Amino acid sequence: MGRIWEWREEEADAWLQESRRLLAGGGILALPTETFYALAADPYQTGALQRLFALKGRAEDKPVLLLVADANMARQVALGIPEVALRLMARFWPGPLTLILSAKGDLPDLVTAGTGTVGVRQPRQPAVCRWLADLGFPVTGTSANRAGNEPLTRAAEVARELGHDVDLILDAGPCPGGLASTVVDVTVSPPRLVRAGVISKADLASIVPDLPTR
C-alpha cells in the first residue's frame, strides 16, 4: 500500500522537504481537501501527468484542475484574473469553488486538454493550503480514485484503492465528502455555472446574479 504520512505540526518542515523531493522526481501525492482526497503532481512535468492519467485510467482529453495557495499563485498559470473572479475568490476562497480561467501558454496540454483554459481552486484544508504556500507553485488536484469509482475521503481508503501507484498519502484527518466543488467559468461574460456543487447557485448570486448554466 501507499505510504501514509500522518500530519504533525512539528514535522511540517520534514513533510515539505519530502513532498518537494517526490514532486521534483515526478511523484504523485494524495492530499485531503475540503471535499475529497486529491492527487497532486507537478503540472509542468509531462511524465508525472502521464503517470497520473494512467493511474486513474482517465482519458487525456479531460482537463485537470490545479490547487493553489491563493489568487497570487493562480496568476502563475492564468493569463489574467477578471474582476468578477477576484470577487468570487474573496467571497468563497479558500473553499469548494473551482474557477476556470484563461491559461498561460506554457501549461502542458495534459492540464488544459487543449482548451486554453485551466481550473483553479484554493483548498480550505489548513495543512494543505499552508503547504501550497510553502511549496510555491500549484499542483494538480484531480480526485484520488480510479476513473468510474467513487471519490475517497480517508487516507486508508486511498492506500487500499491506489496502492503503490501513489508515492505518499498525507493523513490530516478525513475529508467531509458529500458534493464536489462547484465549477464556474469566468472566461466568458457573464460567467457560467459548469458544475453545481457545494456552493449553490443561490450562494453565487451574491456575486453573479442570474448565473447561466452551461
Side-chain angles (χ1 to χ4, degrees), residues 78-148:
L79 277 175
I81 301 181
E83 177 60 31
V84 66
L86 291 172
R87 288 189 278 121
L88 287 166
M89 291 173 181
R91 172 66 178 83
F92 296 107
W93 279 13
L97 177 65
T98 298
L99 297 175
I100 298 177
L101 301 166
S102 295
K104 287 187 174 179
D106 60 347
L107 269 180
D109 283 348
L110 283 173
V111 173
T112 67
T115 61
T117 63
V118 60
V120 295
R121 186 170 97 243
Q122 180 188 15
R124 193 163 53 205
Q125 211 291 339
V128 171
C129 198
R130 192 178 102 191
W131 170 74
L132 283 165
D134 291 340
L135 191 64
F137 60 87
V139 298
T140 63
T142 184
S143 59
N145 58 296
R146 309 284 187 191

Side-chain angles (χ1 to χ4, degrees), residues 158-176:
V158 178
R160 283 195 298 269
E161 178 161 333
L162 302 181
H164 294 292
D165 290 333
V166 172
D167 297 291
L168 194 60
I169 303 164
L170 179 63
D171 185 356
C175 304

Side-chain angles (χ1 to χ4, degrees), residues 20-50:
R20 190 189 294 276
R21 182 186 67 80
L22 289 170
L23 289 173
I28 297 175
L29 315 177
L31 310 169
T33 75
E34 74 284 7
T35 53
F36 303 97
Y37 260 84
L39 294 176
D42 184 338
Y44 291 97
Q45 289 199 35
T46 300
L49 293 170
Q50 290 172 334

